[in-house]
Amino acid sequence: MSWTSRRARAIPQSVFLLMDRAKQEARASGLGIIDLSLGSSDLSPPGPALQTLAEALLDRATHQYTLRSATRPFLEAASGWYEHRYGVTFDPDTEMLSLVGSQEGIGHLLLALTDPGDLVLIPEVAYPPYWGMAALAGLEVFPVPLREDLLPDLDAIPEEVARRARVLILNYPNNPTAAVADLGFFARALEFCRRHDVFLVHDNPYVDMVFDGPAPSPLALPGARDRCVEFFTLSKSYHMGGFRLAFAVGNSEAIAALETVKSALDFNQYQGILRMGITALQQPEAWVREQVAVFRERRDVLVRALQEAGWEVPLPRATLYLWARVPGEVDDVAFAVELCRRTGVALSPGQGFGPGGRGYVRIALVQPPERLEEAAARIGDFLRSSAR
Ligand SMILES: Cc1ncc(COP(=O)(O)O)c(C=O)c1O
């Protein structure tokens, strides 16, 4: 007799647990770990935002449960941020919701939009929790094949799958592939959704992390708010991953359904963190550009160092990640585990991101340039010793 539900058992086991074990083994054998496996920024939130939080802690008015009305100042700031960026206005009361991170928001939105047995379209390489969220909601998943340019090939979705699909999840700039979609791609995706009566969920955490220009928002397209919700987080642009703050914006019926589901499960974020989020969103654009420049430099340093170490890795246009084919015909999990055991350098095996990730690894740019060069040197030694 098992106490674990079929629902919990349906959540795919993560290959990242194997990586965790490999890290422990490397540590036990005395190797210094260079952890490039997590997409968690190593930089600090804006100083004024930390100051706002410090002051809020001592304000007793922030200590109670946060009702929706108390989230309004944050949502107004988020609405202003979106309007400034994309020239489109959303109503903070009916078309926006604050979240305890976008991960919970997307998982709960799937519960709000679907019933067990419904079909969801997820690109065959995707942010790992999407697969678990779909399992939790009892959904059938169709992994959408990727094209050469790493964008999903919507034309490859069979007609009868498209007809049954209820939700399409997209995420561009993408984790893990670093692919960037232009507005034309989003327009085609929306047209696909309109034709087949599918709801579009767009997860946009890397909206600022683009090295050569702004990332578009499908929600800014005409008519998008009829069938789209987009998620933005403060985890990446403002290094606030540990503080858990994000917001959803878009179709009012979907936002209301999400709010209903959340009302049964959690409360809103702590008011001090909401205030911190307002200060973060008010940072001058130059501050955000400086953060992006840090990751651009790291990208250049690591791609060059890996090339010198004998590994050609594509130069990404966005995000905190390199997405690289494993050298030789080696399995990605075996490669990442062995590399970590022998050198202490931890990467993420591609299979952890879905069926299309086989044969790839993701390398997160979450260490300063000197550590990245050290990682590349260790990888070079490993590749040379493996080739012998
Ligand atoms: C694509 C994607 N979505 C969502 C998240 C999680 O964001 P949050 O910290 O807001 O839950 C991440 C974090 O790495 C991500 O890469």
Side-chain angles (χ1 to χ4, degrees):
M1 159 81 183
S2 164
W3 294 113
T4 313
S5 67
R6 279 197 297 278
R7 196 184 300 113
R9 270 181 276 147
I11 295 175
Q13 275 301 305
S14 168
V15 294
F16 303 117
L17 291 177
L18 286 178
M19 282 310 295
D20 214 35
R21 221 170 293 143
K23 273 184 253 178
Q24 266 174 7
E25 282 179 34
R27 225 173 266 125
S29 67
L31 284 166
I33 305 292
I34 305 181
D35 196 347
L36 309 181
S37 67
L38 296 177
S40 181
S41 171
D42 56 321
L43 305 182
S44 293
L50 287 168
Q51 187 61 36
T52 301
L53 176 60
E55 283 161 21
L57 274 175
L58 299 177
D59 178 356
R60 289 189 55 214
T62 68
H63 296 176
Q64 285 94 38
Y65 286 124
T66 310
L67 302 177
R68 201 212 214 267
S69 56
T71 70
R72 199 173 198 284
F74 171 69
L75 293 176
E76 275 169 24
S79 172
W81 174 91
Y82 191 94
E83 185 179 0
H84 173 73
R85 211 168 175 110
Y86 296 109
V88 182
T89 315
F90 287 90
D91 180 353
D93 292 324
T94 58
E95 295 177 307
M96 302 186 79
L97 198 64
S98 73
L99 301 168
V100 187
S102 47
Q103 186 178 346
E104 69 88 353
I106 299 165
H108 288 147
L109 183 64
L110 283 189
L111 290 174
L113 296 180
T114 64
D115 289 303
D118 282 348
L119 193 145
V120 59
L121 302 166
I122 302 178
E124 62 175 345
V125 180
Y127 178 53
Y130 298 161
W131 308 102
M133 293 169 187
L136 207 51
L139 303 180
E140 185 183 335
V141 180
F142 181 83
V144 185
L146 296 190
R147 311 185 307 207
E148 204 54 11
D149 61 3
L150 299 173
L151 296 179
D153 188 355
L154 300 176
D155 295 333
I157 301 171
E159 190 60 29
E160 83 83 28
V161 171
R163 214 176 324 114
R164 287 177 48 223
R166 183 134 176 104
V167 173
L168 166 65
I169 306 181
L170 295 179
N171 151 231
Y172 296 97
N174 185 262
N175 174 14
T177 66
V180 180
D182 62 17
L183 203 55
F185 173 81
F186 284 128
R188 285 191 296 283
L190 261 179
E191 176 45 34
F192 169 91
C193 289
R194 227 173 259 130
R195 200 164 0 112
H196 299 289
D197 216 5
V198 170
F199 196 92
L200 176 62
V201 172
H202 187 237
D203 184 14
N204 204 350
Y206 302 98
V207 59
D208 288 312
M209 294 289 155
V210 187
F211 305 125
D212 58 3
S217 158
L219 206 50
L221 288 164
R225 76 179 83 196
D226 295 345
R227 57 178 66 253
C228 177
V229 162
E230 192 162 16
F231 289 85
F232 294 95
T233 177
L234 282 84
S235 295
K236 309 295 170 180
S237 307
Y238 303 101
H239 318 303
M240 280 177 55
F243 295 89
R244 315 307 300 134
L245 185 61
F247 60 94
V249 51
N251 178 264
S252 58
E253 185 188 340
I255 292 287
L258 173 58
E259 190 174 0
T260 303
V261 167
K262 273 174 64 68
S263 71
L265 292 167
D266 73 30
F267 245 100
N268 297 299
Q269 183 49 274
Y270 165 57
Q271 283 184 57
I273 291 178
L274 290 167
R275 288 186 193 172
M276 178 186 183
I278 295 173
T279 309
L281 288 174
Q282 288 166 345
Q283 282 298 290
E285 275 166 41
W287 185 89
V288 177
R289 279 202 301 275
E290 274 167 32
Q291 313 306 304
V292 178
V294 168
F295 290 105
R296 191 196 298 117
E297 189 205 348
R298 292 176 178 188
R299 170 199 71 166
D300 292 345
V301 164
L302 187 56
V303 168
R304 200 179 320 114
L306 286 173
Q307 194 178 34
E308 280 162 19
W311 191 4
E312 285 288 343
V313 168
L315 192 75
R317 284 177 54 202
T319 74
L320 322 178
Y321 312 110
L322 308 185
W323 180 245
R325 198 180 271 285
V326 173
E329 294 295 303
V330 187
D331 174 78
D332 51 285
V333 176
F335 174 81
V337 166
E338 204 44 32
L339 176 73
C340 184
R341 276 206 198 114
R342 283 177 36 200
T343 70
V345 176
L347 315 177
S348 295
Q351 279 175 54
F353 299 90
R358 213 167 269 279
Y360 287 82
V361 284
R362 189 195 75 177
I363 310 172
L365 302 166
V366 291
Q367 301 275 339
E370 354 24 292
R371 293 295 282 164
L372 295 176
E373 279 173 334
E374 167 65 20
R378 292 191 201 178
I379 291 171
D381 290 344
F382 174 77
L383 293 178
R384 279 186 294 278
S385 70
S386 307
R388 265 189 241 123

